């Protein structure tokens, strides 16, 4: 293995991504090994940056198909700014919904109504108002 190449075990250790996921990402075209040493895949060090971008995108809710568009044909990260902005807008909506739900649940937990079903806020959460 050349100095500028790392084996799949080292990629797993440094990235925290299981080998099975690396193989799946390679099948999907998200990453590429540079060669094999016996049965072991060998990668360029840039794969660690690619995996970091994939992890951030997955956490943000991008699909693997969308993430594929975040790389240029040579495999280097090239995030689509419009997609990033659209996902940020989606996350804003999700955050607002979750914050509202959190507030409603906190109210229902402390509500002085005799039962939850008598609490107007809780009934609104259930869609019964």
């Amino acid at each position: 293995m050349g100095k500028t190449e790392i084996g799949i075990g080292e990629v797993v250790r440094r990235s925290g991504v299981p080998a099975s996921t690396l193989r799946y990402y390679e099948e999907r075209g998200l990453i590429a090994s540079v060669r094999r040493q016996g049965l072991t895949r060998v990668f360029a060090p840039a794969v660690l940056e690619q995996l970091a971008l994939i992890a951030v995108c997955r956490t943000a809710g991008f699909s693997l198909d969308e993430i594929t568009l975040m790389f240029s044909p040579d495999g280097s990260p090239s995030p689509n700014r419009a997609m990033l902005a659209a996902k940020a807008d989606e996350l804003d909506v999700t955050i607002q919904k979750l914050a509202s739900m959190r507030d409603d649940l906190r109210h229902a937990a402390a509500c002085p109504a005799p039962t939850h079903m008598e609490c107007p806020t809780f009934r609104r959460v259930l869609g019964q108002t």
Side-chain angles (χ1 to χ4, degrees):
M1 200 173 339
K3 282 188 170 189
T4 61
E5 298 174 339
I6 51 179
I8 193 169
E10 181 69 6
V11 173
V12 168
R13 186 185 71 73
R14 291 173 61 184
S15 70
V17 177
S20 58
T21 302
L22 295 174
R23 289 188 291 272
Y24 179 68
Y25 287 170
E26 188 172 18
E27 287 174 19
R28 295 285 309 255
L30 288 164
I31 62 172
S33 57
V34 292
R35 64 183 181 86
R36 289 185 185 251
Q37 184 173 346
L39 296 176
T40 303
R41 288 170 169 83
V42 177
F43 295 89
V47 75
L48 297 172
E49 187 176 70
Q50 292 170 315
L51 291 170
L53 177 61
I54 292 168
V56 167
C57 289
R58 294 292 290 162
T59 300
F62 286 100
S63 70
L64 289 179
D65 288 336
E66 290 170 322
I67 294 170
T68 300
L69 301 174
M70 299 287 182
F71 293 99
S72 61
D74 69 359
S76 61
S78 180
N80 178 307
R81 292 176 191 272
M83 285 178 61
L84 295 175
K87 185 58 74 177
D89 291 343
E90 285 178 35
L91 289 173
D92 282 339
V93 170
T94 300
I95 289 167
Q96 290 171 347
K97 287 179 182 177
L98 289 172
S100 177
M101 178 62 72
R102 177 204 57 215
D103 295 345
D104 290 345
L105 293 175
R106 282 198 175 133
H107 170 81
C111 181
T115 69
H116 289 98
M117 295 312 292
E118 294 176 61
C119 170
T121 300
F122 190 73
R123 293 187 67 78
R124 184 172 45 82
V125 169
L126 297 177
Q128 296 185 348
T129 56

